[in-house]
Amino acid sequence: MKKKLQILPSIIAYFFVLLFCYASVSKILDFENFQLQLAQSPLLSAYAGFISYAVIVLELLISFVLLFEKSRNVGVYASTALMSAFTIYIFLILNYSDFVPCSCGGILEKLGWTEHLIFNIICVFAGFLSLILVARQEQHLFKRTLLIIVSTNILSILLVIFLFISSEDIIKHENNFTRRFLLYPVVEDKIKNLDHDQYYFAGNDGKHIYLGNKSYPQRLTTVDYDLNVITQMRIIPDSINHLFKNLRLQVLYPYYFLYDGTVPVIYRGKVGSRNAETISYKEAYFSQMIPLDSGSFVVRTMNRDSRQLSIASFDIHKEPKIKLFDHILEKQADGVFDSDGQLAVSENPRRPIYLYSYRNQFLTIDHQFKVKKKLNTIDTISKAKVQITSMSDGRHKMSAPPLKVNQNIAAYGNLALIQSELKGKFESSEEWKKAKVMDIYRTDRQEYIGSFHIFNRRKKAMSDYDMTDQYLFVIIGNELIRHKYRKPLTDYLNRGSRKPDPRVGTH
């Protein structure tokens, strides 16, 4: 028995050699996937680049040290400390992370997180046992061995905890363009076929979603949340003898608005009624518009004096009807192309949002037209990469295709879903061909929550999407798809959110 106990430390040492050699070689052979897994870790995302190399180097170095009898004890100390780090990492994943990622890769890829935790604890115990058995052969080293074991393992545990805390802060508040793909924060649960693929979201009222149509701009389509009943109505304006260029439709229940800012004209009608009256004609030119109530709007227009894009209020009941707020959009180059973006609206409470297309920023705007928050997306393009050529008449034009950062935004409560156009660190180009990437942000403070994919269907990509309090609705080709929210989105939507008005539209 005594002889067997003397052999046991050597057996444990060679076990660690096999374990770390196999693990490190597996990581090297599938290094890109290993980095991607680390990037999706809820604990170490911000350090995926450094840690992916450090872990492999450590495992190979420890294996090498364990091969030699003179340095074997040092190798077992290091092995035990490393396994303690892996153990606390899994413990934090299971108990303190926002989500639990899939248990992928490594020597025990068939095991789940709990099984991994048990295996790691056994390895830590084996390391302790090996060192204690060696120390008992030389009694004067026993206390020192115990002190080194305890101190190295505590240090490794504290290091992982530190990395976890700092990584979370970096990912959420100072992200270095490392996306964290959440496990199914939305789940597709129902599909409705539409008659063609030219629809876009025009709003909702808490029970129905409303669709506009690019091919038939005077058609208002209503679909209930259960995607069972579709009704269509042809809008009949009181005057239509205009040269329309971009006739669009929006719903803010109980009204719908048909408009073209190039004419410019705004029609208003009541949902359910075909007849729409002209409420504004040649009073304000605009490129985008969001209704705030039955007669007031926030618009994006061109300042005639500066020839720069500007956000303005437009109220048909006031004089002057339009008021410019030039401070909202910040000029970087020409004040037109560099400030281009999407004017949208968030509900609960209802407030305008502006998403820049060519830089990593979006704005929340209050009812006094003050910028409430300037928030950044996780990519690193803080200055619009647009090349501008000045014309002899004072106008500007792009001399090269710009680098587009953000494509679209939808928001509800304190959450925003932004469709990104840029690939982050450790992301697969193949995935970008198959899906659109949605990044989730807080709108009340600077915080990135995570990302998810909306995958193409029948070789068609998502064309539009909208958020409500209950569902994410998506249009792909001629399909209207409903998604249910899951954690952590449900937590964020329910946290501190007042009950929404069921008869108010979104966007």
Side-chain angles (χ1 to χ4, degrees):
M1 182 68 180
K2 189 174 180 181
K3 201 170 185 179
K4 288 181 180 179
L5 289 176
Q6 290 174 347
I7 298 173
L8 191 58
S10 297
I11 295 173
I12 292 171
Y14 287 121
F15 165 75
F16 280 130
V17 171
L18 290 172
L19 177 67
F20 292 138
C21 279
Y22 181 86
S24 58
V25 170
S26 297
K27 293 179 180 75
I28 292 168
L29 293 176
D30 197 12
F31 185 71
E32 184 179 347
N33 188 47
F34 172 54
Q35 274 197 325
L36 182 61
Q37 288 172 17
L38 280 178
Q40 303 318 308
S41 162
L43 308 187
L44 304 176
S45 305
Y47 303 108
F50 167 75
I51 290 176
S52 61
Y53 291 100
V55 168
I56 292 173
V57 170
L58 269 174
E59 288 178 339
L60 289 174
L61 185 60
I62 291 171
S63 298
F64 181 77
V65 171
L66 285 167
L67 290 174
F68 302 98
E69 191 173 345
K70 288 185 178 180
S71 58
R72 189 164 293 160
N73 272 10
V74 174
V76 178
Y77 282 127
S79 301
T80 309
L82 186 59
M83 293 308 296
S84 287
F86 292 159
T87 303
I88 193 64
Y89 168 75
I90 295 175
F91 177 80
L92 292 172
I93 286 274
L94 292 173
N95 294 278
Y96 295 100
S97 67
D98 289 338
F99 68 99
V100 178
C102 62
S103 178
C104 318
I107 193 167
L108 302 172
E109 60 181 338
K110 300 295 182 184
L111 299 184
W113 285 106
T114 303
E115 290 80 5
H116 269 291
L117 181 65
I118 294 168
F119 175 80
N120 287 358
I121 290 171
I122 292 170
C123 290
V124 171
F125 175 77
F128 270 74
L129 179 63
S130 172
L131 291 166
I132 289 171
L133 288 174
V134 172
R136 286 186 67 180
Q137 295 173 19
E138 301 180 52
Q139 288 294 329
H140 65 285
L141 297 177
F142 186 79
K143 287 185 179 179
R144 193 184 76 167
T145 299
L146 209 57
L147 179 62
I148 295 173
I149 294 172
V150 172
S151 59
T152 53
N153 280 268
I154 288 175
L155 284 173
S156 67
I157 289 170
L158 290 176
L159 177 61
V160 173
I161 293 172
F162 168 76
L163 290 175
F164 162 52
I165 295 170
S166 59
S167 177
E168 282 296 276
D169 185 63
I170 290 170
I171 288 294
K172 290 185 176 181
H173 308 115
E174 302 173 27
N175 195 288
N176 57 358
F177 209 7
T178 301
R179 281 196 175 89
R180 176 186 295 167
F181 287 94
L182 307 177
L183 281 182
Y184 308 111
V186 298
V187 176
E188 176 186 306
D189 78 328
K190 201 161 188 181
I191 300 173
K192 185 74 173 179
N193 287 323
L194 304 172
D195 51 5
H196 58 83
D197 61 0
Q198 294 298 302
Y199 287 99
Y200 61 88
F201 290 105
N204 75 72
D205 63 10
K207 293 182 179 179
H208 309 86
I209 53 174
Y210 298 96
L211 304 177
N213 193 305
K214 296 173 187 175
S215 298
Y216 305 96
Q218 289 173 242
R219 179 191 291 178
L220 174 61
T221 301
T222 305
V223 187
D224 68 310
Y225 272 14
D226 289 331
L227 306 189
N228 290 327
V229 181
I230 294 182
T231 59
Q232 293 187 331
M233 180 183 75
R234 185 175 182 272
I235 297 169
I236 305 174
D238 55 7
S239 173
I240 202 165
N241 297 319
H242 306 301
L243 296 175
F244 296 112
K245 292 183 180 179
N246 186 28
L247 199 58
R248 300 282 293 182
L249 184 63
Q250 283 197 60
V251 174
L252 177 60
Y253 193 86
Y255 298 102
Y256 62 80
F257 301 88
L258 188 66
Y259 60 93
D260 188 336
T262 63
V263 175
V265 63
I266 302 175
Y267 305 101
R268 182 184 65 199
K270 279 205 167 185
V271 173
S273 172
R274 294 172 174 268
N275 299 318
E277 62 173 334
T278 302
I279 60 172
S280 175
Y281 177 57
K282 286 191 174 180
E283 294 178 320
Y285 289 88
F286 55 88
S287 53
Q288 296 182 35
M289 184 197 85
I290 295 292
L292 295 177
D293 57 37
S294 61
S296 65
F297 311 88
V298 53
V299 299
R300 193 188 72 173
T301 186
M302 181 74 74
N303 186 317
R304 291 181 181 178
D305 298 327
S306 65
R307 295 194 175 184
Q308 296 176 13
L309 290 179
S310 181
I311 299 298
S313 64
F314 178 46
D315 194 322
I316 62 174
H317 302 300
K318 290 184 178 180
E319 288 296 340
K321 289 183 171 61
I322 191 161
K323 184 177 180 181
L324 296 174
F325 295 92
D326 292 324
H327 66 280
I328 293 178
L329 301 184
E330 294 182 354
K331 175 182 175 180
Q332 289 185 334
D334 67 326
V336 180
F337 296 112
D338 63 334
S339 298
D340 196 11
Q342 182 188 346
L343 182 63
V345 67
S346 176
E347 291 297 344
N348 193 26
R350 188 174 179 85
R351 61 189 184 278
I353 290 180
Y354 192 81
L355 173 71
Y356 286 108
S357 293
Y358 304 115
R359 63 179 101 158
N360 64 348
Q361 192 175 78
F362 64 102
L363 315 171
T364 62
I365 306 165
D366 64 20
H367 287 292
Q368 284 74 47
F369 285 82
K370 294 179 181 178
V371 177
K372 191 173 181 181
K373 294 286 182 182
K374 291 182 181 180
L375 302 167
N376 293 110
T377 55
I378 60 172
D379 57 85
T380 56
I381 311 299
S382 58
K383 188 170 182 179
K385 293 186 178 181
V386 293
Q387 297 180 32
I388 309 299
T389 299
S390 299
M391 309 289 284
S392 57
D393 60 359
R395 292 181 299 132
H396 299 88
K397 72 173 186 178
M398 284 191 182
S399 56
L403 179 66
K404 195 160 191 178
V405 176
N406 301 305
Q407 176 65 37
N408 201 356
I409 185 171
Y412 188 90
N414 289 325
L415 285 186
L417 300 183
I418 295 179
Q419 180 186 338
S420 176
E421 289 293 291
L422 295 181
K423 185 159 66 80
K425 292 182 179 179
F426 317 117
E427 291 177 25
S428 166
S429 297
E430 288 301 312
E431 288 290 304
W432 275 80
K433 295 176 184 177
K434 299 175 184 176
K436 297 296 183 183
V437 171
M438 309 289 284
D439 296 328
I440 312 165
Y441 298 93
R442 294 286 294 264
T443 58
D444 57 337
R445 66 180 186 225
Q446 182 64 56
E447 183 175 331
Y448 163 70
I449 295 169
S451 303
F452 62 94
H453 291 108
I454 297 290
F455 285 95
N456 302 343
R457 295 174 62 89
R458 300 174 187 173
K459 298 183 179 180
K460 294 285 184 81
M462 176 181 66
S463 59
D464 199 11
Y465 61 98
D466 195 18
M467 288 185 74
T468 72
D469 61 327
Q470 301 175 54
Y471 305 106
L472 170 67
F473 290 98
V474 171
I475 295 174
I476 301 178
N478 68 333
E479 293 180 318
L480 174 60
I481 305 165
R482 188 182 76 179
H483 296 77
K484 282 186 177 179
Y485 301 127
R486 295 178 71 247
K487 286 179 175 288
L489 293 193
T490 49
D491 292 340
Y492 282 103
L493 285 168
N494 295 331
R495 193 181 301 162
S497 176
R498 64 181 176 83
K499 187 176 181 180
D501 183 349
R503 305 300 289 174
V504 175
T506 57
H507 111 94

